Amino acid sequence: MKRPEPFEIFQPASIQEARELHIHHGPGGYFLAGGTDLAIAIKEKGLVPRYVVDLKRIGSLSGIRENADGSLVLGALATMREVEISRVISRRFPFLSQSAGEVGSIQIRNRATIGGNIANATPSADVVPALLVLEAQVTTSTQNGEKQVPLESFFLGPGKTVMERGDILTEIIIPPASANLRGEYIKFSPREMMDLAYVGVAVALLTDGDENVCREVRIALGAVSPVPMRARKAEAVLVNRVINEESAERAGEAAASECTPISDVRASAAYRRHMVRVNTKRAILNAVCGRPGNLPWVARRERRY
Amino acid sequence: MQCVAVPAIFPGWPGERGDINKKIRITLNGQERILEVVPYRLLLDLLRDEMGMTGTKEGCGTGDCGACTVLLHGKPVNSCLVFSGELDGADIVTIEGLKIGPELHPVQDAFRQDGGAQCGYCTPGMLMMTTALLRENEQPTEEEIRFALSGNLCRCTGYAKIIQAVQRAAEMMREKKITEAKG
């Protein structure tokens, strides 16, 4: 495997310093978080940075905390593994922990960060659909100060976001959510582990009473459009209706009709579309079943429907 | 230990050509070291080519196979994706640091007893990952072992003996703990 061409690594202690380094040294610089994308881009795809600014010495970028109002703040440098095993996340949003646990291996997840994953804007990123159904916001540090944007409007295309050169993603905010919110994430990929999603489906919903009348629902899809997307037509099918196999099937059909998958080495567009229909239905029905308590990491993966 | 410092020349960076070596302080297998490193050198190469610790292997070089797994601040990572320039203050444990004293580490002993290795190339990575797993989870189920080792590929065996070895290691470590508590 190819070795990196020479470059310098700076380790600033603050966001301000990091931005200044980037301005001072000019083009050809890359911010480094976990490095699981950057190192591979350098080794495999021939990327040659002139210099790298390592963000890991900036303390304010790490950690996961719960605010008094119930919102959650995920530092951009929180690792995928931290998101996966965080007590507060696995208690409140187990499907988000699971989506983080679907990424790569434990070795990768100990390095890969949630901020890096979002900033790289891969259409198949596993945590993004789960964050979209939680209506997460993204905070970035820009030359005009801090900006907050909904995650949904953060992505512009594969590898492209609203961030400009020198901007730093600082945190992801999950707004307060009802304690009765139930959710699910299904990663559909040919292998159980160490693979990218053909299709990712996340669902979060609130129901009324024993009849499972849907009060609020959010559905998001990964890997089937240029950017991870909300499936609003599918959501509209479910609102104020009883959730059962039939309505879930119709929501699945709606989701399949509104996504815009491509054909590539992994799967054809038609197959992906079909799998959106199947897995959206599954995710909705799984979400309604709920998850039995705090399960260990592995048990979370089982498919119940 | 000889420290080979390769001067790094920046092509096309007028006025800033020259040596970019960086001084780092790390703890490697329990020993503190001050090294002068080339910042873009991979941790894997630092260990193998400069520290002479060739137990850590390179498989794919892209974080898929786990042969290069080491513990960084106690957590398993792929050393083929870590740059030396990130390492100041790091605590690193490699396969060479697993065994302390004359006796094998229980994880090593269990892999030996169960034949959890065939050609042996993936073994150092398997052992490091197993050590990390057993620190978090003293009594993992087979599913949990498979989940934890999903980033460690072995192309010789069918994984059955590896999983058996992990279970034996867990048992040995639990027994050791009980004996130590009694003693």
Side-chain angles (χ1 to χ4, degrees):
Chain A
M1 177 59 58
K2 192 176 164 291
R3 278 349 193 211
E5 298 291 327
F7 59 80
E8 185 150 15
I9 297 185
F10 300 105
Q11 294 193 299
S14 69
I15 294 170
Q16 181 63 21
E17 207 188 315
R19 293 180 30 76
E20 278 166 13
L21 275 167
H22 204 263
I23 293 164
H24 175 74
H25 290 285
Y30 288 83
F31 288 120
L32 169 66
T36 50
D37 280 324
L38 186 65
I40 290 172
I42 291 171
K43 295 177 78 179
E44 208 173 41
K45 293 166 195 155
L47 180 80
V48 184
R50 274 182 61 232
Y51 64 97
V52 163
V53 180
D54 181 12
L55 303 174
K56 285 192 288 294
R57 297 289 145 115
I58 306 173
S60 61
L61 291 181
S62 53
I64 296 166
R65 61 175 201 275
E66 190 175 25
N67 290 333
D69 67 354
S71 61
L72 275 183
V73 180
L74 282 59
L77 293 191
T79 63
M80 288 294 177
R81 182 77 175 143
E82 281 166 0
V83 175
E84 176 190 358
I85 62 178
S86 149
R87 274 170 200 271
V88 53
I89 296 179
S90 20
R91 176 173 50 82
R92 291 187 50 197
F93 310 121
F95 60 98
L96 175 59
S97 320
Q98 180 211 321
S99 72
E102 302 273 11
V103 178
S105 60
I106 292 178
Q107 289 97 317
I108 291 289
R109 297 199 292 279
N110 274 332
R111 295 285 292 171
T113 65
I114 190 155
N117 195 220
I118 291 174
N120 276 320
T122 313
S124 62
D126 285 305
V127 286
V128 174
L131 287 170
L132 281 176
V133 299
L134 292 169
E135 303 205 304
Q137 301 267 326
V138 176
T139 311
T140 55
S141 165
T142 73
Q143 57 176 354
N144 307 315
E146 281 211 338
K147 268 191 201 163
Q148 223 179 70
V149 281
L151 182 61
E152 197 185 353
S153 45
F154 181 76
F155 302 108
L156 301 178
K160 290 199 192 89
T161 71
V162 297
M163 288 204 296
E164 288 175 23
R165 217 188 84 77
D167 290 0
I168 297 172
L169 195 161
T170 56
E171 57 191 22
I172 295 108
I173 301 164
I174 299 173
S178 161
N180 298 322
L181 184 89
R182 286 179 287 176
E184 174 75 343
Y185 175 69
I186 294 181
K187 174 180 188 162
F188 179 72
S189 60
R191 287 190 297 172
E192 281 269 314
M193 291 161 193
M194 296 295 289
D195 207 348
L196 298 181
Y198 279 9
V199 171
V201 184
V203 173
L205 47 80
L206 280 170
T207 53
D208 254 3
D210 296 333
E211 283 87 47
N212 278 332
V213 180
C214 177
R215 283 296 159 234
E216 237 185 283
V217 61
R218 294 189 288 269
I219 300 171
L221 308 174
V224 289
S225 47
V227 299
M229 60 177 275
R230 280 276 293 275
R232 289 212 154 71
K233 283 186 189 161
E235 293 172 6
V237 168
L238 289 179
V239 175
N240 294 326
R241 302 233 164 81
V242 176
I243 295 180
N244 52 29
E245 270 204 44
E246 199 199 322
S247 61
E249 173 73 37
R250 272 188 290 127
E253 283 164 12
S257 74
E258 63 189 307
C259 68
T260 53
I262 54 162
S263 294
D264 64 10
V265 288
R266 303 188 159 271
S268 68
Y271 181 61
R272 281 202 163 98
R273 203 181 281 280
H274 182 67
M275 287 299 115
V276 167
R277 184 169 76 84
V278 172
N279 285 296
T280 303
K281 176 185 177 186
R282 274 186 195 154
I284 293 164
L285 294 173
N286 276 357
V288 168
C289 299
R291 282 162 184 271
N294 247 345
L295 289 173
W297 24 323
V298 175
R300 276 191 237 124
R301 295 177 55 91
E302 69 172 314
R303 315 287 195 249
R304 289 181 306 284
Y305 175 76
Chain B
M1 180 70 54
Q2 204 195 348
C3 179
V4 188
V6 182
I9 305 299
F10 271 51
W13 194 353
E16 290 183 72
R17 290 173 159 271
D19 196 315
I20 51 163
N21 284 0
K22 188 172 171 169
K23 198 171 255 188
I24 59 167
R25 182 190 294 264
I26 59 167
T27 309
L28 179 57
N29 295 332
Q31 271 189 324
E32 195 170 302
R33 310 241 189 178
I34 296 171
L35 304 171
E36 204 162 287
V37 296
V38 182
Y40 55 87
R41 175 142 305 172
L42 303 167
L43 170 57
L44 171 72
D45 295 338
L46 180 74
L47 292 169
R48 290 182 56 87
D49 301 344
E50 296 189 23
M51 309 307 290
M53 294 185 174
T54 53
T56 304
K57 306 295 186 219
E58 176 174 25
C60 63
T62 50
D64 294 299
C65 78
C68 67
T69 303
V70 300
L71 304 185
L72 179 61
H73 295 297
K75 291 176 184 152
V77 303
N78 301 109
S79 63
C80 72
L81 299 181
V82 179
F83 299 113
S84 301
E86 303 173 63
L87 290 174
D88 192 29
D91 179 11
I92 300 158
V93 180
T94 69
I95 186 72
E96 286 87 355
L98 209 54
K99 164 174 171 266
I100 299 165
E103 267 178 55
L104 288 178
H105 187 280
V107 171
Q108 292 172 312
D109 202 14
F111 271 71
R112 182 184 63 82
Q113 285 186 42
D114 276 310
Q118 203 163 312
C119 85
Y121 199 81
C122 72
T123 312
M126 289 281 180
L127 296 181
M128 297 319 285
M129 192 61 224
T130 303
T131 308
L133 166 69
L134 297 181
R135 269 188 203 164
E136 270 181 29
N137 185 346
E138 281 184 19
Q139 208 161 346
T141 62
E142 184 185 328
E143 267 305 293
E144 285 169 331
I145 295 169
R146 284 181 183 276
F147 185 79
L149 290 180
S150 62
N152 291 79
L153 304 186
C154 167
R155 302 290 81 172
C156 300
T157 77
Y159 298 101
K161 291 193 168 185
I162 292 172
I163 287 157
Q164 205 178 309
V166 178
Q167 283 164 333
R168 183 193 291 268
E171 207 175 295
M172 284 163 72
M173 284 169 78
R174 286 199 305 273
E175 275 169 19
K176 201 174 156 196
K177 217 170 162 182
I178 294 166
T179 327
E180 278 170 3
K182 275 182 192 163

Short mmCIF file of all heavy atoms in Angstrom, two decimals, chain B residues 52-75:
data_model
loop_
_atom_site.label_atom_id
_atom_site.label_comp_id
_atom_site.label_asym_id
_atom_site.label_seq_id
_atom_site.Cartn_x
_atom_site.Cartn_y
_atom_site.Cartn_z
N GLY B 52 11.54 -1.34 15.52
CA GLY B 52 11.91 -2.75 15.39
C GLY B 52 10.87 -3.71 15.94
O GLY B 52 11.16 -4.87 16.20
N MET B 53 9.66 -3.23 16.10
CA MET B 53 8.61 -4.11 16.63
C MET B 53 7.77 -4.62 15.47
O MET B 53 6.79 -4.01 15.06
CB MET B 53 7.74 -3.33 17.62
CG MET B 53 8.53 -2.95 18.85
SD MET B 53 7.50 -2.17 20.08
CE MET B 53 8.69 -2.03 21.40
N THR B 54 8.19 -5.75 14.95
CA THR B 54 7.57 -6.26 13.73
C THR B 54 6.41 -7.21 14.00
O THR B 54 5.92 -7.86 13.08
CB THR B 54 8.63 -6.96 12.86
OG1 THR B 54 9.29 -7.92 13.68
CG2 THR B 54 9.65 -5.97 12.33
N GLY B 55 6.00 -7.31 15.25
CA GLY B 55 4.84 -8.16 15.56
C GLY B 55 3.58 -7.64 14.92
O GLY B 55 2.73 -8.40 14.47
N THR B 56 3.43 -6.33 14.85
CA THR B 56 2.26 -5.71 14.24
C THR B 56 2.39 -5.85 12.72
O THR B 56 3.42 -5.49 12.16
CB THR B 56 2.20 -4.23 14.65
OG1 THR B 56 2.21 -4.17 16.08
CG2 THR B 56 0.93 -3.56 14.14
N LYS B 57 1.35 -6.38 12.09
CA LYS B 57 1.43 -6.68 10.66
C LYS B 57 0.62 -5.70 9.81
O LYS B 57 -0.37 -5.15 10.27
CB LYS B 57 0.90 -8.10 10.39
CG LYS B 57 1.53 -9.19 11.21
CD LYS B 57 3.00 -9.37 10.90
CE LYS B 57 3.58 -10.57 11.63
NZ LYS B 57 4.93 -10.31 12.13
N GLU B 58 1.04 -5.58 8.56
CA GLU B 58 0.23 -4.84 7.61
C GLU B 58 -0.49 -5.83 6.70
O GLU B 58 0.14 -6.68 6.07
CB GLU B 58 1.08 -3.92 6.74
CG GLU B 58 0.24 -3.22 5.67
CD GLU B 58 1.01 -2.18 4.87
OE1 GLU B 58 2.24 -2.29 4.77
OE2 GLU B 58 0.35 -1.27 4.35
N GLY B 59 -1.81 -5.70 6.64
CA GLY B 59 -2.58 -6.54 5.71
C GLY B 59 -3.02 -5.68 4.55
O GLY B 59 -2.31 -5.51 3.58
N CYS B 60 -4.19 -5.07 4.71
CA CYS B 60 -4.77 -4.32 3.59
C CYS B 60 -4.23 -2.90 3.50
O CYS B 60 -4.17 -2.32 2.43
CB CYS B 60 -6.28 -4.28 3.74
SG CYS B 60 -6.82 -3.41 5.23
N GLY B 61 -3.87 -2.32 4.63
CA GLY B 61 -3.41 -0.93 4.63
C GLY B 61 -4.53 0.09 4.59
O GLY B 61 -4.28 1.29 4.51
N THR B 62 -5.78 -0.36 4.64
CA THR B 62 -6.91 0.58 4.56
C THR B 62 -7.94 0.39 5.67
O THR B 62 -9.08 0.82 5.55
CB THR B 62 -7.62 0.46 3.20
OG1 THR B 62 -7.91 -0.93 2.97
CG2 THR B 62 -6.77 0.98 2.07
N GLY B 63 -7.53 -0.27 6.75
CA GLY B 63 -8.44 -0.38 7.90
C GLY B 63 -9.54 -1.42 7.75
O GLY B 63 -10.52 -1.38 8.47
N ASP B 64 -9.37 -2.35 6.83
CA ASP B 64 -10.41 -3.37 6.64
C ASP B 64 -10.09 -4.69 7.34
O ASP B 64 -10.99 -5.44 7.68
CB ASP B 64 -10.60 -3.67 5.15
CG ASP B 64 -11.17 -2.47 4.41
OD1 ASP B 64 -12.28 -2.04 4.77
OD2 ASP B 64 -10.50 -1.95 3.50
N CYS B 65 -8.79 -5.00 7.51
CA CYS B 65 -8.44 -6.38 7.89
C CYS B 65 -8.04 -6.55 9.35
O CYS B 65 -8.08 -7.64 9.88
CB CYS B 65 -7.33 -6.91 7.00
SG CYS B 65 -5.69 -6.30 7.45
N GLY B 66 -7.61 -5.48 10.02
CA GLY B 66 -7.31 -5.57 11.45
C GLY B 66 -5.97 -6.20 11.82
O GLY B 66 -5.66 -6.34 12.99
N ALA B 67 -5.14 -6.57 10.83
CA ALA B 67 -3.85 -7.20 11.15
C ALA B 67 -2.93 -6.23 11.90
O ALA B 67 -2.05 -6.65 12.64
CB ALA B 67 -3.15 -7.68 9.87
N CYS B 68 -3.15 -4.93 11.72
CA CYS B 68 -2.27 -3.93 12.32
C CYS B 68 -2.82 -3.37 13.62
O CYS B 68 -2.37 -2.33 14.10
CB CYS B 68 -2.06 -2.79 11.33
SG CYS B 68 -3.57 -1.85 11.03
N THR B 69 -3.82 -4.07 14.21
CA THR B 69 -4.47 -3.56 15.43
C THR B 69 -3.48 -3.40 16.59
O THR B 69 -2.73 -4.32 16.91
CB THR B 69 -5.60 -4.51 15.87
OG1 THR B 69 -6.53 -4.63 14.78
CG2 THR B 69 -6.33 -3.99 17.10
N VAL B 70 -3.47 -2.21 17.18
CA VAL B 70 -2.73 -1.97 18.42
C VAL B 70 -3.68 -1.25 19.37
O VAL B 70 -4.75 -0.81 18.96
CB VAL B 70 -1.46 -1.09 18.20
CG1 VAL B 70 -0.50 -1.75 17.22
CG2 VAL B 70 -1.84 0.31 17.72
N LEU B 71 -3.30 -1.16 20.64
CA LEU B 71 -4.13 -0.40 21.57
C LEU B 71 -3.56 1.01 21.70
O LEU B 71 -2.39 1.18 22.02
CB LEU B 71 -4.17 -1.07 22.95
CG LEU B 71 -4.64 -2.54 22.99
CD1 LEU B 71 -4.73 -3.01 24.43
CD2 LEU B 71 -5.98 -2.71 22.30
N LEU B 72 -4.41 1.99 21.41
CA LEU B 72 -4.01 3.40 21.53
C LEU B 72 -4.88 3.98 22.65
O LEU B 72 -6.11 3.96 22.54
CB LEU B 72 -4.26 4.11 20.19
CG LEU B 72 -3.95 5.59 20.10
CD1 LEU B 72 -2.48 5.87 20.36
CD2 LEU B 72 -4.35 6.13 18.72
N HIS B 73 -4.26 4.43 23.71
CA HIS B 73 -4.99 4.85 24.91
C HIS B 73 -5.96 3.75 25.35
O HIS B 73 -7.11 4.01 25.70
CB HIS B 73 -5.75 6.16 24.66
CG HIS B 73 -4.84 7.32 24.39
ND1 HIS B 73 -3.94 7.80 25.31
CD2 HIS B 73 -4.67 8.07 23.29
CE1 HIS B 73 -3.26 8.80 24.79
NE2 HIS B 73 -3.67 8.99 23.57
N GLY B 74 -5.51 2.51 25.26
CA GLY B 74 -6.31 1.37 25.72
C GLY B 74 -7.37 0.90 24.76
O GLY B 74 -8.08 -0.07 25.04
N LYS B 75 -7.49 1.58 23.63
CA LYS B 75 -8.56 1.19 22.69
C LYS B 75 -7.96 0.64 21.40
O LYS B 75 -7.00 1.20 20.87
CB LYS B 75 -9.43 2.40 22.35
CG LYS B 75 -10.25 2.86 23.53
CD LYS B 75 -11.00 4.12 23.19
CE LYS B 75 -11.74 4.61 24.42
NZ LYS B 75 -11.92 6.05 24.38
#
